[in-house]
Amino acid sequence: MSTIEEVEQARKHIQDIIHQTPLLHSQSLEEKWGRRVSFKAEHLQKTGSFKIRGAANAVTQAAAGGARLVTAASSGNHGQAVAYVAKELGLSSVIVVPTDASPAKVAAIKAYGGQVEYCGTTSAERIPQAKSLAQEMGGVYIPPYDHPDIIAGQGTAGLEMIEQMPDVDLIVVPVGGGGLISGILTAVKAQRPDVLVIGAEPALAKDTALSLERREITAIGPTETIADGLRTTQPGELTFPIVSELLDGLVLVEEQEIIEAMRDIAVRTKQLVEPSGVVAAAAVMAGKAGAQGQNIIAVISGGNVDIPRFAGLLKPAEIE
């Protein structure tokens, strides 16, 4: 299990690399959704997602250990974060991405100095390749979620939220491999055990929901959810025990609900959010997480989306 001390130490390691992201509020959305909700704006984070928190912590530790090269397996956001931090610290990076990776995310990885390699469509295919490259090239593999340094880094978002909204009642977090939610659980439950933490997972990628139901890590096959950053095939060996012990609940979000939440946030707040980043907000919008009268924070985890894809999902006829 990760500890609050590890999260606090991570905060010291990464504070000069990351942004402290704001909480955003929309009276218009509150009225439409019938919920008092704020958004933890990780789409405004450096490299466009929360992933830089864990990456900064892990790559910093790798560099301190003498590493000159790091590798990662990523659908995009983790890869961008690792490439960015590696460049900042003077390291080389190789990022293994899926064959259907977002062109915008691949372009960003390259812009941050990362070398890109394509492999398969699932994390089960990408991760062994990234590990193999690290071994062949004498580098260090940086996992996307299942590592103590990653979990601790992501947990710094939890510290910020309870400082920014001391009277928060509920935090809703998107769930993929579990690095973000396990880090937030570690931080929040240590300092504010009264605050509820709920996970939101795409219904088409419900490996965590199945694992919780069966009380053991359960793998699923490849998924085509539009929330490409949450297309994990199973929870992590380290993240799942944290989620199992500390999580207050998990809800499933449908594809159309993701699209509707993207539309609402774009129209009402003028914020560009990727499908994976809006899953927690979609759970609130659909009435699946949070109740009237609660102070709710929904984590917007990322904003790296291709404009043509964004426009295609939000058809002009659907824009209010």
Side-chain angles (χ1 to χ4, degrees):
M1 297 288 285
S2 295
T3 66
I4 184 62
E5 290 77 19
E6 290 171 338
V7 177
E8 290 171 340
Q9 191 63 37
R11 191 179 205 178
K12 295 177 182 178
H13 292 155
I14 71 177
Q15 61 185 355
D16 294 331
I17 299 175
I18 71 162
H19 293 313
Q20 176 171 308
T21 55
L23 290 183
L24 302 181
H25 175 79
S26 168
Q27 185 67 34
S28 174
L29 277 185
E30 282 195 356
E31 293 173 357
K32 182 174 183 181
W33 292 1
R35 298 289 185 274
R36 194 159 61 224
V37 59
S38 297
F39 304 107
K40 180 59 171 168
E42 287 295 287
H43 63 299
L44 302 180
Q45 184 57 265
K46 287 185 181 178
T47 72
S49 87
F50 76 94
K51 288 287 190 176
I52 197 170
R53 294 177 182 271
N57 195 36
V59 176
T60 297
Q61 298 309 300
R68 302 306 304 162
L69 177 142
V70 291
T71 71
S74 169
S75 64
N77 286 341
H78 176 62
Q80 289 180 59
V82 170
Y84 175 89
V85 178
K87 185 177 182 180
E88 287 290 297
L89 298 180
L91 278 62
S92 300
S93 63
V94 180
I95 313 300
V96 181
V97 304
T99 55
D100 60 352
S102 160
K105 294 180 180 179
V106 171
I109 290 170
K110 293 179 178 178
Y112 294 137
Q115 176 185 329
V116 172
E117 290 208 11
Y118 291 90
C119 181
T121 59
T122 70
S123 57
E125 296 168 292
R126 295 191 297 274
I127 290 174
Q129 178 66 6
K131 288 180 177 178
S132 177
L133 288 171
Q135 186 173 12
E136 292 172 10
M137 303 172 74
V140 174
Y141 167 66
I142 306 296
Y145 51 86
D146 208 28
H147 190 279
D149 291 339
I150 298 292
I151 295 169
Q154 316 305 25
T156 60
L159 295 180
E160 290 179 16
M161 284 187 282
I162 58 178
E163 291 169 356
Q164 291 170 318
M165 186 183 285
D167 59 348
V168 61
D169 298 304
L170 170 68
I171 297 173
V172 189
V173 187
V175 177
L180 178 61
I181 196 162
S182 59
I184 288 174
L185 282 166
T186 298
V188 171
K189 291 300 185 179
Q191 295 198 348
R192 288 288 306 281
D194 58 304
V195 175
L196 299 176
V197 179
I198 300 291
E201 186 174 43
L204 291 184
K206 57 179 182 179
D207 51 292
T208 296
L210 288 173
S211 298
L212 290 170
E213 179 183 325
R214 299 174 185 179
R215 299 184 180 180
E216 63 180 5
I217 292 176
T218 301
I220 61 172
T223 173
E224 295 302 318
T225 176
I226 60 173
D228 59 317
L230 305 181
R231 290 178 184 170
T232 49
T233 55
Q234 67 181 57
E237 297 285 344
L238 299 181
T239 63
F240 184 64
I242 299 172
V243 170
S244 297
E245 180 174 334
L246 299 178
L247 191 67
D248 293 302
L250 180 72
V251 298
L252 298 178
V253 178
E254 302 296 335
E255 299 294 286
Q256 187 58 36
E257 291 168 342
I258 296 172
I259 293 171
E260 290 174 7
M262 288 176 65
R263 178 195 62 198
D264 278 359
I265 289 173
V267 172
R268 303 296 179 110
T269 74
K270 316 308 178 193
Q271 300 295 308
L272 188 66
V273 182
E274 64 184 282
S276 303
V278 81
V279 169
V284 177
M285 177 203 71
K288 296 178 176 180
Q292 290 184 353
Q294 287 185 314
N295 291 320
I296 304 166
I297 299 176
V299 177
I300 294 182
S301 58
N304 294 316
V305 63
D306 289 314
I307 297 299
R309 183 177 185 233
F310 187 87
L313 289 172
L314 307 185
K315 298 175 183 177
E318 295 178 348
I319 299 297
E320 296 178 353

